[in-house]
Amino acid sequence: VSPDQFLFLLGTALAAGALGSALGMAGGIFVVPVLTLFAGTPFPVAVAVSLISVIASSCASAPQFLAAGLTNLRLAVILEVATTLGALAGVLMIGIVHDQILYGIFAVVLLVSAVQMMTGRRGRAPLAEDRIGKRLRLDSSYIERDGSTVTYAVSRLPMGLSLMFGAGLLSALLGIGSGVLKIPAMDAAMRLPIKVSSATANLTIGVTACGTAAAYLIAGNVDLNLTIPIVLGSVAGSIIGARILVRIAGPGLRIVFTLVLLALAVPMTMNALGAQLGGMP
Amino acid sequence: MRWGTLMASVLFIGGALLAWGGVASASSAVVIAGCAVLILLPFLRLILMLMDFARRADNPYVGVVILVIILILAAATTGISLSGGRAFAVALQASVGVVPGGSAWCSRPVL
């Protein structure tokens, strides 16, 4: 990797990490298209590098969420059963699913993410107390900045677990944090407050990805030359995004984010149709 | 987790400096160590949670954490076995770009 290429990847990962962190998504959704389309990286290698960067982003931002008491640890570990099971299914599918199909799935994920970005995340009214959530002692509370305590219940856990299984599957196959499924699982299905949803989803990303990432690393799929700038950029971007960009995240940033997602969806769709785009920028 | 991320970042920076200094093999080893630290962080967090739940005698959650750990190990070992059981040394060779036929910026995938 030349100095120019290193700086390009570092800058891209930094922007992806910062934007993703500010808007509640992992940067993997940008890293894989950038590596495949601009760096000419084979899809499995891009997935492997992205998984490492996704773990890095998760680990970089998790301590702030934990310190703020936003992460529901019991719920996280319950959801991780579904996500790691999904990741195991995804690992079994690696090599079976053709690259063109993976490009197609990725394009769909980009388009759905763009729609989610434009519609925004809305807090929804909590449902009646859930028997499973109560039995597993998942209901919890957190303290807002103004000192008020927000209590919440966890509803419709089976539906949430089903979506989280899909999130784990997508994570292993595409190298992403799978916010595209985690957001509906936690916001819409389980009706969690958005802050709790973001913090808990963030914590599950690392556990979901670590088994697959270990396999890729030992198999030699993690291209170390690409990993250095991508991981360093992702870590720096996550910290910047969590601390600074959250304050300025507004409609303008959402529009830019949506346009980037749509712009990346076009060449990914073309690759799904056999165009074989990718090469030096 | 904060210290682990910092340690991994230091290893990645060290790896980059070694690569620019022309010490490719040492650079690869240091970056692999950085990747390993990152991958182990979520796993260590689970171990800590397991110990905490066990200390509180919260047996259902001890079981859930153990199940998650088993699933992670299953995903890792399945992925490794599907890759043909290549040795860890292959990662070192591939990472420095010695595998022929790779694309513009990187080496050929083996999984």
Side-chain angles (χ1 to χ4, degrees):
Chain A
V1 178
S2 72
D4 286 350
Q5 292 166 343
F6 186 93
L7 288 175
F8 170 75
L9 293 174
L10 184 74
T12 305
L14 196 142
L19 283 171
S21 177
L23 296 167
M25 300 174 82
I29 202 163
F30 296 107
V31 169
V32 173
V34 164
L35 287 176
T36 52
L37 298 173
F38 298 109
T41 310
F43 201 92
V45 177
V47 168
V49 173
S50 178
L51 279 173
I52 302 282
S53 79
V54 158
I55 295 172
S57 296
S58 167
C59 291
S61 47
Q64 293 168 57
F65 291 130
L66 285 165
L70 294 170
T71 312
N72 186 328
L73 287 171
R74 280 203 180 96
L75 178 61
V77 78
I78 293 280
L79 295 177
E80 281 161 1
V81 174
T83 59
T84 50
L85 194 61
L88 176 59
V91 167
L92 289 168
M93 290 168 72
I94 293 171
I96 296 172
V97 184
H98 195 273
D99 277 4
Q100 274 182 258
I101 296 171
L102 292 175
Y103 275 110
I105 298 170
F106 210 108
V108 171
V109 168
L110 286 165
L111 291 171
V112 175
S113 299
V115 172
Q116 286 176 343
M117 193 52 57
M118 280 313 290
T119 54
R121 295 172 70 181
R122 289 183 295 273
R124 294 167 195 258
L127 297 172
E129 204 168 56
D130 190 286
R131 188 171 52 87
I132 301 174
K134 193 170 183 183
R135 193 169 177 183
L136 292 170
R137 290 167 285 143
L138 297 176
D139 302 348
S140 186
S141 63
Y142 67 94
I143 298 169
E144 281 281 13
R145 283 184 183 169
D146 61 7
S148 61
T149 301
V150 178
T151 56
Y152 61 89
V154 178
S155 310
R156 299 194 293 198
L157 188 65
M159 192 192 294
L161 286 171
S162 306
L163 288 165
M164 294 305 264
F165 175 86
L169 185 76
L170 284 185
S171 175
L173 281 177
L174 305 180
I176 59 176
S178 301
V180 69
L181 281 178
K182 284 178 178 168
I183 289 171
M186 304 184 88
D187 291 4
M190 290 188 281
R191 301 288 174 97
L192 294 173
I194 288 175
K195 286 182 179 177
V196 176
S197 170
S198 297
T200 307
N202 176 273
L203 197 71
T204 64
I205 288 172
V207 166
T208 308
C210 71
T212 319
Y216 274 125
L217 179 67
I218 294 169
N221 266 14
V222 179
D223 191 290
L224 304 180
N225 293 324
L226 300 178
T227 307
I228 296 172
I230 293 291
V231 168
L232 289 176
S234 297
V235 170
S238 297
I239 294 167
I240 291 169
R243 292 189 180 175
I244 300 169
L245 276 179
V246 169
R247 294 174 203 160
I248 60 167
L253 191 61
R254 283 187 180 277
I255 291 168
V256 170
F257 204 73
T258 305
L259 290 175
V260 173
L261 288 168
L262 292 173
L264 290 172
V266 174
M268 294 299 268
T269 306
M270 290 170 73
N271 274 358
L273 299 171
Q276 295 185 325
L277 299 175
M280 301 286 281
Chain B
M1 205 171 260
R2 190 175 281 134
W3 285 106
T5 311
L6 182 65
M7 186 198 294
S9 299
V10 168
L11 287 168
F12 279 105
I13 292 168
L17 293 175
L18 285 168
W20 288 331
V23 196
S25 57
S27 165
S28 297
V30 170
V31 177
I32 285 175
C35 290
V37 168
L38 279 178
I39 290 169
L40 282 173
L41 281 178
F43 196 78
L44 286 175
R45 194 259 294 167
L46 280 176
I47 299 291
L48 289 173
M49 283 179 74
L50 178 65
M51 289 163 64
D52 188 54
F53 284 131
R55 189 176 54 80
R56 297 173 193 220
D58 196 343
N59 293 333
Y61 278 94
V62 168
V64 172
V65 177
I66 289 172
L67 179 59
V68 174
I69 289 171
I70 290 170
L71 286 169
I72 290 171
L73 294 175
T77 50
T78 303
I80 293 161
S81 61
L82 284 177
S83 73
R86 289 206 181 201
F88 192 70
V90 173
L92 276 171
Q93 292 174 358
S95 66
V96 293
V98 296
V99 181
S103 62
W105 293 11
C106 67
S107 50
R108 184 186 291 278
V110 293
L111 188 66

PDB file of all heavy atoms in Angstrom, chain B residues 26-47:
ATOM      1  N   ALA B  26       8.231  -8.419  10.592  1.00  0.00           N
ATOM      2  CA  ALA B  26       7.951  -7.926  11.950  1.00  0.00           C
ATOM      3  C   ALA B  26       6.663  -7.118  11.957  1.00  0.00           C
ATOM      4  O   ALA B  26       5.852  -7.213  12.886  1.00  0.00           O
ATOM      5  CB  ALA B  26       9.115  -7.076  12.447  1.00  0.00           C
ATOM      6  N   SER B  27       6.468  -6.326  10.884  1.00  0.00           N
ATOM      7  CA  SER B  27       5.250  -5.516  10.772  1.00  0.00           C
ATOM      8  C   SER B  27       4.016  -6.419  10.780  1.00  0.00           C
ATOM      9  O   SER B  27       3.044  -6.161  11.491  1.00  0.00           O
ATOM     10  CB  SER B  27       5.288  -4.690   9.482  1.00  0.00           C
ATOM     11  OG  SER B  27       4.017  -4.190   9.184  1.00  0.00           O
ATOM     12  N   SER B  28       4.079  -7.502   9.983  1.00  0.00           N
ATOM     13  CA  SER B  28       2.935  -8.421   9.905  1.00  0.00           C
ATOM     14  C   SER B  28       2.626  -9.041  11.257  1.00  0.00           C
ATOM     15  O   SER B  28       1.460  -9.139  11.662  1.00  0.00           O
ATOM     16  CB  SER B  28       3.220  -9.542   8.897  1.00  0.00           C
ATOM     17  OG  SER B  28       3.369  -8.995   7.625  1.00  0.00           O
ATOM     18  N   ALA B  29       3.685  -9.453  11.964  1.00  0.00           N
ATOM     19  CA  ALA B  29       3.488 -10.082  13.274  1.00  0.00           C
ATOM     20  C   ALA B  29       2.834  -9.101  14.251  1.00  0.00           C
ATOM     21  O   ALA B  29       1.926  -9.476  15.000  1.00  0.00           O
ATOM     22  CB  ALA B  29       4.832 -10.569  13.819  1.00  0.00           C
ATOM     23  N   VAL B  30       3.285  -7.846  14.205  1.00  0.00           N
ATOM     24  CA  VAL B  30       2.742  -6.842  15.131  1.00  0.00           C
ATOM     25  C   VAL B  30       1.281  -6.540  14.789  1.00  0.00           C
ATOM     26  O   VAL B  30       0.424  -6.436  15.679  1.00  0.00           O
ATOM     27  CB  VAL B  30       3.596  -5.543  15.083  1.00  0.00           C
ATOM     28  CG1 VAL B  30       2.918  -4.416  15.839  1.00  0.00           C
ATOM     29  CG2 VAL B  30       4.978  -5.811  15.672  1.00  0.00           C
ATOM     30  N   VAL B  31       0.966  -6.437  13.488  1.00  0.00           N
ATOM     31  CA  VAL B  31      -0.416  -6.136  13.088  1.00  0.00           C
ATOM     32  C   VAL B  31      -1.335  -7.323  13.389  1.00  0.00           C
ATOM     33  O   VAL B  31      -2.481  -7.133  13.819  1.00  0.00           O
ATOM     34  CB  VAL B  31      -0.489  -5.738  11.591  1.00  0.00           C
ATOM     35  CG1 VAL B  31      -1.931  -5.503  11.167  1.00  0.00           C
ATOM     36  CG2 VAL B  31       0.333  -4.496  11.333  1.00  0.00           C
ATOM     37  N   ILE B  32      -0.832  -8.543  13.189  1.00  0.00           N
ATOM     38  CA  ILE B  32      -1.629  -9.727  13.559  1.00  0.00           C
ATOM     39  C   ILE B  32      -1.918  -9.704  15.059  1.00  0.00           C
ATOM     40  O   ILE B  32      -3.042 -10.012  15.496  1.00  0.00           O
ATOM     41  CB  ILE B  32      -0.900 -11.038  13.151  1.00  0.00           C
ATOM     42  CG1 ILE B  32      -0.996 -11.226  11.634  1.00  0.00           C
ATOM     43  CG2 ILE B  32      -1.513 -12.256  13.855  1.00  0.00           C
ATOM     44  CD1 ILE B  32      -0.216 -12.400  11.099  1.00  0.00           C
ATOM     45  N   ALA B  33      -0.925  -9.303  15.844  1.00  0.00           N
ATOM     46  CA  ALA B  33      -1.139  -9.193  17.298  1.00  0.00           C
ATOM     47  C   ALA B  33      -2.223  -8.146  17.588  1.00  0.00           C
ATOM     48  O   ALA B  33      -3.083  -8.364  18.454  1.00  0.00           O
ATOM     49  CB  ALA B  33       0.164  -8.816  17.988  1.00  0.00           C
ATOM     50  N   GLY B  34      -2.204  -7.049  16.836  1.00  0.00           N
ATOM     51  CA  GLY B  34      -3.239  -6.013  16.999  1.00  0.00           C
ATOM     52  C   GLY B  34      -4.616  -6.553  16.676  1.00  0.00           C
ATOM     53  O   GLY B  34      -5.586  -6.305  17.407  1.00  0.00           O
ATOM     54  N   CYS B  35      -4.707  -7.295  15.563  1.00  0.00           N
ATOM     55  CA  CYS B  35      -5.999  -7.902  15.185  1.00  0.00           C
ATOM     56  C   CYS B  35      -6.461  -8.871  16.273  1.00  0.00           C
ATOM     57  O   CYS B  35      -7.646  -8.895  16.639  1.00  0.00           O
ATOM     58  CB  CYS B  35      -5.861  -8.670  13.860  1.00  0.00           C
ATOM     59  SG  CYS B  35      -5.623  -7.637  12.412  1.00  0.00           S
ATOM     60  N   ALA B  36      -5.509  -9.669  16.782  1.00  0.00           N
ATOM     61  CA  ALA B  36      -5.856 -10.662  17.806  1.00  0.00           C
ATOM     62  C   ALA B  36      -6.371  -9.975  19.070  1.00  0.00           C
ATOM     63  O   ALA B  36      -7.344 -10.439  19.675  1.00  0.00           O
ATOM     64  CB  ALA B  36      -4.638 -11.528  18.123  1.00  0.00           C
ATOM     65  N   VAL B  37      -5.736  -8.874  19.450  1.00  0.00           N
ATOM     66  CA  VAL B  37      -6.191  -8.131  20.642  1.00  0.00           C
ATOM     67  C   VAL B  37      -7.628  -7.655  20.439  1.00  0.00           C
ATOM     68  O   VAL B  37      -8.482  -7.815  21.311  1.00  0.00           O
ATOM     69  CB  VAL B  37      -5.250  -6.937  20.937  1.00  0.00           C
ATOM     70  CG1 VAL B  37      -5.869  -6.009  21.972  1.00  0.00           C
ATOM     71  CG2 VAL B  37      -3.903  -7.438  21.436  1.00  0.00           C
ATOM     72  N   LEU B  38      -7.892  -7.088  19.251  1.00  0.00           N
ATOM     73  CA  LEU B  38      -9.250  -6.589  18.973  1.00  0.00           C
ATOM     74  C   LEU B  38     -10.277  -7.715  19.016  1.00  0.00           C
ATOM     75  O   LEU B  38     -11.363  -7.556  19.574  1.00  0.00           O
ATOM     76  CB  LEU B  38      -9.289  -5.911  17.600  1.00  0.00           C
ATOM     77  CG  LEU B  38      -8.784  -4.478  17.503  1.00  0.00           C
ATOM     78  CD1 LEU B  38      -8.850  -3.995  16.060  1.00  0.00           C
ATOM     79  CD2 LEU B  38      -9.586  -3.553  18.401  1.00  0.00           C
ATOM     80  N   ILE B  39      -9.932  -8.848  18.403  1.00  0.00           N
ATOM     81  CA  ILE B  39     -10.869  -9.976  18.353  1.00  0.00           C
ATOM     82  C   ILE B  39     -11.118 -10.537  19.751  1.00  0.00           C
ATOM     83  O   ILE B  39     -12.230 -10.958  20.077  1.00  0.00           O
ATOM     84  CB  ILE B  39     -10.329 -11.069  17.394  1.00  0.00           C
ATOM     85  CG1 ILE B  39     -10.407 -10.566  15.944  1.00  0.00           C
ATOM     86  CG2 ILE B  39     -11.099 -12.376  17.544  1.00  0.00           C
ATOM     87  CD1 ILE B  39      -9.667 -11.433  14.952  1.00  0.00           C
ATOM     88  N   LEU B  40     -10.070 -10.512  20.586  1.00  0.00           N
ATOM     89  CA  LEU B  40     -10.208 -11.088  21.935  1.00  0.00           C
ATOM     90  C   LEU B  40     -10.978 -10.178  22.893  1.00  0.00           C
ATOM     91  O   LEU B  40     -11.520 -10.659  23.886  1.00  0.00           O
ATOM     92  CB  LEU B  40      -8.819 -11.384  22.516  1.00  0.00           C
ATOM     93  CG  LEU B  40      -8.147 -12.647  21.976  1.00  0.00           C
ATOM     94  CD1 LEU B  40      -6.716 -12.747  22.487  1.00  0.00           C
ATOM     95  CD2 LEU B  40      -8.934 -13.894  22.380  1.00  0.00           C
ATOM     96  N   LEU B  41     -11.035  -8.882  22.601  1.00  0.00           N
ATOM     97  CA  LEU B  41     -11.693  -7.951  23.532  1.00  0.00           C
ATOM     98  C   LEU B  41     -13.160  -8.308  23.809  1.00  0.00           C
ATOM     99  O   LEU B  41     -13.557  -8.400  24.978  1.00  0.00           O
ATOM    100  CB  LEU B  41     -11.585  -6.515  23.017  1.00  0.00           C
ATOM    101  CG  LEU B  41     -10.244  -5.813  23.242  1.00  0.00           C
ATOM    102  CD1 LEU B  41     -10.274  -4.419  22.625  1.00  0.00           C
ATOM    103  CD2 LEU B  41      -9.922  -5.718  24.724  1.00  0.00           C
ATOM    104  N   PRO B  42     -13.989  -8.514  22.770  1.00  0.00           N
ATOM    105  CA  PRO B  42     -15.378  -8.894  23.061  1.00  0.00           C
ATOM    106  C   PRO B  42     -15.467 -10.239  23.790  1.00  0.00           C
ATOM    107  O   PRO B  42     -16.322 -10.443  24.638  1.00  0.00           O
ATOM    108  CB  PRO B  42     -16.031  -8.993  21.673  1.00  0.00           C
ATOM    109  CG  PRO B  42     -15.124  -8.270  20.749  1.00  0.00           C
ATOM    110  CD  PRO B  42     -13.764  -8.385  21.328  1.00  0.00           C
ATOM    111  N   PHE B  43     -14.542 -11.142  23.445  1.00  0.00           N
ATOM    112  CA  PHE B  43     -14.519 -12.459  24.084  1.00  0.00           C
ATOM    113  C   PHE B  43     -14.174 -12.316  25.574  1.00  0.00           C
ATOM    114  O   PHE B  43     -14.805 -12.947  26.427  1.00  0.00           O
ATOM    115  CB  PHE B  43     -13.482 -13.341  23.372  1.00  0.00           C
ATOM    116  CG  PHE B  43     -13.628 -14.800  23.659  1.00  0.00           C
ATOM    117  CD1 PHE B  43     -14.602 -15.554  23.024  1.00  0.00           C
ATOM    118  CD2 PHE B  43     -12.806 -15.420  24.576  1.00  0.00           C
ATOM    119  CE1 PHE B  43     -14.744 -16.904  23.305  1.00  0.00           C
ATOM    120  CE2 PHE B  43     -12.941 -16.763  24.862  1.00  0.00           C
ATOM    121  CZ  PHE B  43     -13.912 -17.509  24.221  1.00  0.00           C
ATOM    122  N   LEU B  44     -13.200 -11.467  25.867  1.00  0.00           N
ATOM    123  CA  LEU B  44     -12.826 -11.234  27.268  1.00  0.00           C
ATOM    124  C   LEU B  44     -13.970 -10.582  28.041  1.00  0.00           C
ATOM    125  O   LEU B  44     -14.183 -10.872  29.218  1.00  0.00           O
ATOM    126  CB  LEU B  44     -11.570 -10.348  27.334  1.00  0.00           C
ATOM    127  CG  LEU B  44     -10.265 -11.041  26.962  1.00  0.00           C
ATOM    128  CD1 LEU B  44      -9.121 -10.032  26.940  1.00  0.00           C
ATOM    129  CD2 LEU B  44      -9.954 -12.151  27.959  1.00  0.00           C
ATOM    130  N   ARG B  45     -14.700  -9.711  27.353  1.00  0.00           N
ATOM    131  CA  ARG B  45     -15.857  -9.079  28.001  1.00  0.00           C
ATOM    132  C   ARG B  45     -16.879 -10.142  28.413  1.00  0.00           C
ATOM    133  O   ARG B  45     -17.459 -10.078  29.501  1.00  0.00           O
ATOM    134  CB  ARG B  45     -16.493  -8.070  27.024  1.00  0.00           C
ATOM    135  CG  ARG B  45     -17.484  -7.118  27.643  1.00  0.00           C
ATOM    136  CD  ARG B  45     -18.916  -7.517  27.402  1.00  0.00           C
ATOM    137  NE  ARG B  45     -19.303  -7.452  26.008  1.00  0.00           N
ATOM    138  CZ  ARG B  45     -20.413  -7.994  25.545  1.00  0.00           C
ATOM    139  NH1 ARG B  45     -21.231  -8.671  26.352  1.00  0.00           N
ATOM    140  NH2 ARG B  45     -20.726  -7.913  24.265  1.00  0.00           N
ATOM    141  N   LEU B  46     -17.061 -11.146  27.544  1.00  0.00           N
ATOM    142  CA  LEU B  46     -17.975 -12.242  27.886  1.00  0.00           C
ATOM    143  C   LEU B  46     -17.464 -13.038  29.086  1.00  0.00           C
ATOM    144  O   LEU B  46     -18.244 -13.431  29.957  1.00  0.00           O
ATOM    145  CB  LEU B  46     -18.134 -13.182  26.683  1.00  0.00           C
ATOM    146  CG  LEU B  46     -19.101 -12.756  25.587  1.00  0.00           C
ATOM    147  CD1 LEU B  46     -19.057 -13.755  24.441  1.00  0.00           C
ATOM    148  CD2 LEU B  46     -20.527 -12.653  26.119  1.00  0.00           C
ATOM    149  N   ILE B  47     -16.156 -13.272  29.123  1.00  0.00           N
ATOM    150  CA  ILE B  47     -15.570 -14.012  30.250  1.00  0.00           C
ATOM    151  C   ILE B  47     -15.813 -13.241  31.555  1.00  0.00           C
ATOM    152  O   ILE B  47     -16.168 -13.825  32.588  1.00  0.00           O
ATOM    153  CB  ILE B  47     -14.051 -14.232  30.030  1.00  0.00           C
ATOM    154  CG1 ILE B  47     -13.797 -15.049  28.750  1.00  0.00           C
ATOM    155  CG2 ILE B  47     -13.407 -14.907  31.248  1.00  0.00           C
ATOM    156  CD1 ILE B  47     -14.229 -16.480  28.801  1.00  0.00           C
TER     157      ILE B  47
END
